[in-house]
Amino acid sequence: MRYAQLVVGPAGSGKSTYCSTIVKHASDSKRIIEVVNLDPAAEHFDYEPLVDIRELIHLDDAMEDEELQFGPNGGLVFCIETLLENSDWLQEQLGDVDDDYILFDCPGQIELYTHLSVMRKIVDLLQSWNFRICVVFMIDSQFMVDGAKFLSGTMAALSVMVNLELPHVNVLSKMDLLTKTARKQLENYLDPDPHVLLADMRNAKSKWYEKYAKLTEAIGEVIENFSLVRFYPLNIKDEESIENILLTIDNIIQYGEDADVKIRDFDELDPEDNDNYD
């Protein structure tokens, strides 16, 4: 069995920072976790990738092609489709190491995960290679400090869950950048109570709430009744916070549970030795 995290989320949500943080934390714990860069537009990251899609195709290749003439969004989709067409290349680069643990650092184009099929095909491919996968959906905590924005982020997380159909962990990134007031306010949203969210929107005299109050309340009831969404805070400056996230995901993908139990073989007693116990 092999293990993987599919790290997804909007642009600027902290996906690459998350990957480098997890790699460093694992290294300090004497664990080996590798990262695969699936973002053909990436310019800089703080980890050394095991595999880099830019060695196969770069976003600039798609955008500068005179026949294709893609924009940034179309180019990203084309690059991922090119990766799928060259799955043998990816499989060769990944190798075939049992019990390896890989983070797949994905592009920041949210529609890749919410309704397009290309990332679902990537998931199917990895599962066929014996990967047990958990989706890590990153969202900037600074975006989630009021009811309306939090509800929007929750719906985005639900869309990804429905499209990818995988075990799913929602991570609120950049907690270390929040003020104490914002951090305290955000605590109400970690295990979201729709009544709290709706009250915040009502008290803020939100124009959206005034116009679509019944729709907003119906969405809140769906979230509450089915217990579909929960968020985990991540402070990259707090080792305990990092460990809690990693432990949660390890449990979900059952990392380490398939390890062979080592049993010590005891030598059988010689019959003559048995006489000593009579």
Side-chain angles (χ1 to χ4, degrees):
M1 184 59 65
R2 309 173 76 181
Y3 305 90
Q5 296 181 28
L6 197 69
V7 185
V8 306
S13 58
K15 297 182 294 297
S16 295
T17 300
Y18 168 84
C19 290
S20 59
T21 299
I22 293 296
V23 167
K24 182 179 182 304
H25 179 82
S27 177
D28 293 341
S29 304
K30 309 302 181 184
R31 280 179 63 178
I32 298 176
I33 294 181
E34 302 281 5
V35 185
V36 169
N37 174 46
L38 293 185
D39 186 357
E43 295 181 356
H44 173 73
F45 34 69
D46 294 330
Y47 57 78
E48 186 65 34
L50 174 69
V51 184
D52 192 342
I53 189 176
R54 297 175 303 175
E55 295 178 2
L56 176 69
I57 185 169
H58 196 285
L59 179 61
D60 291 343
D61 299 333
M63 293 179 61
E64 294 172 2
D65 189 287
E66 293 182 359
E67 293 183 6
L68 297 175
Q69 295 185 337
F70 282 119
N73 290 340
L76 274 170
V77 175
F78 177 79
C79 290
I80 299 299
E81 290 176 340
T82 301
L83 178 65
L84 284 168
E85 292 172 359
N86 293 272
S87 59
D88 291 345
W89 175 85
L90 179 59
Q91 186 175 20
E92 182 181 351
Q93 295 291 312
L94 288 174
D96 186 14
V97 181
D98 199 29
D99 288 335
D100 56 349
Y101 197 123
I102 299 176
L103 312 181
F104 289 85
D105 188 4
C106 298
Q109 188 179 4
I110 192 67
E111 54 264 42
L112 287 172
Y113 322 112
T114 55
H115 61 275
L116 295 180
S117 62
V118 286
M119 291 308 296
R120 175 69 213 189
K121 292 177 181 177
I122 292 286
V123 165
D124 292 340
L125 198 62
L126 293 175
Q127 289 179 325
S128 72
W129 296 339
N130 209 30
F131 276 100
R132 189 177 287 166
I133 309 167
C134 177
V135 173
V136 180
F137 182 74
M138 308 290 296
I139 192 158
D140 189 340
S141 60
Q142 299 174 101
F143 175 77
M144 304 284 277
V145 292
D146 69 64
K149 291 179 179 178
F150 193 92
L151 199 57
S152 174
T154 298
M155 295 306 295
L158 281 173
S159 296
V160 176
M161 290 171 66
V162 170
N163 191 36
L164 296 182
E165 297 181 302
L166 284 171
H168 195 100
V169 171
N170 300 301
V171 174
L172 290 175
S173 62
K174 306 183 183 180
M175 290 291 293
D176 52 301
L177 301 181
L178 291 180
T179 64
K180 290 184 178 179
T181 302
R183 197 175 304 170
K184 187 174 182 180
Q185 183 179 356
L186 194 61
E187 289 177 0
N188 295 326
Y189 299 160
L190 295 181
D191 194 359
D193 182 345
H195 301 294
V196 174
L197 302 182
L198 297 175
D200 286 350
M201 295 171 70
R202 192 183 303 116
N203 295 336
K205 297 181 180 180
S206 165
K207 291 183 178 180
W208 169 270
Y209 181 81
E210 292 174 3
K211 188 174 182 179
Y212 300 105
K214 291 184 178 180
L215 173 61
T216 305
E217 290 171 2
I219 293 172
E221 288 177 2
V222 169
I223 295 170
E224 179 181 37
N225 293 341
F226 292 91
S227 300
L228 291 173
V229 179
R230 182 182 179 185
F231 291 89
Y232 295 85
L234 174 63
N235 182 344
I236 62 172
K237 296 181 179 179
D238 183 350
E239 290 296 323
E240 185 177 353
S241 175
I242 300 168
E243 179 63 24
N244 287 341
I245 295 288
L246 185 56
L247 182 60
T248 297
I249 297 169
D250 286 348
N251 288 337
I252 289 172
I253 59 178
Q254 298 177 303
Y255 173 74
E257 293 187 10
D258 294 331
D260 293 334
V261 178
K262 295 182 179 180
I263 301 175
R264 181 180 176 185
D265 293 326
F266 291 93
D267 295 332
E268 292 186 8
L269 289 173
D270 188 280
E272 294 181 1
D273 292 335
N274 284 338
D275 294 339
N276 298 328
Y277 295 95
D278 291 339

